[in-house]
Amino acid sequence: MTTSSGSTLPAPDLDERYGRTPDSRRRGRLIAWGAGIAVALVFLAWVVWAGLDGTAPKLEVRDTGYQLTESTATARFQVTVDPGTAVRCAVQALNEQFEIVGWKVVDLPPSDERTRGFVETVRTTMQPNTGLIYRCWLP
């Protein structure tokens, strides 16, 4: 390349001009390795967390019916849980507007059976429309 005065300028180093130097390549490799290690650590942590969760007892609850009176709701339900595991359940009664008009927490003792049926009666503050299990959990 020549200037208007006739002197020649050195040709620009295009790699350096556009950031393709050995330092930038090394930096790119370090960033890639760091990102790969971070992804591997997150995956490993998830595998350990998910693996430890598999030892918890499984709990299933199913409503099987209900009976109503003027001031009570009787809920029938089945609980399936590993033998020897205690369970706590909340039974609720709802009116026609789906408002809670009765609520009761019951403790179900451990048993040798996996699936058991229960009947619980809940007193209500007004005429109920249904009686059912709200939720069960392991105490």
Side-chain angles (χ1 to χ4, degrees):
M1 184 187 287
T2 58
T3 63
S4 59
S5 63
S7 64
T8 55
L9 293 175
D13 185 6
L14 293 179
D15 285 340
E16 188 174 318
R17 181 181 206 181
Y18 292 106
R20 295 184 299 233
T21 63
D23 286 340
S24 68
R25 281 189 218 115
R26 200 170 315 130
R27 191 176 320 115
R29 272 190 242 122
L30 283 174
I31 290 172
W33 274 99
I37 290 171
V39 168
L41 287 175
V42 168
F43 179 72
L44 180 65
W46 177 79
V47 166
V48 169
W49 174 77
L52 293 177
D53 188 40
T55 60
K58 303 293 185 232
L59 173 65
E60 294 179 29
V61 181
R62 188 176 77 165
D63 287 309
T64 57
Y66 61 90
Q67 290 178 328
L68 305 173
T69 66
E70 189 73 28
S71 61
T72 64
T74 302
R76 290 188 307 274
F77 58 97
Q78 287 183 338
V79 175
T80 302
V81 69
D82 293 337
T85 305
V87 177
R88 184 171 286 161
C89 293
V91 184
Q92 68 180 1
L94 304 175
N95 65 8
E96 289 184 7
Q97 290 78 32
F98 301 103
E99 298 168 331
I100 298 171
V101 294
W103 180 272
K104 182 179 181 181
V105 176
V106 293
D107 290 318
L108 308 177
S111 171
D112 293 334
E113 298 177 30
R114 183 166 176 73
T115 301
R116 299 180 289 161
F118 295 95
V119 177
E120 287 295 330
T121 300
V122 178
R123 293 177 46 147
T124 61
T125 57
M126 58 182 3
Q127 174 72 38
N129 192 34
T130 187
L132 58 128
I133 292 296
Y134 171 70
R135 183 176 8 156
C136 290
W137 62 94
L138 302 174

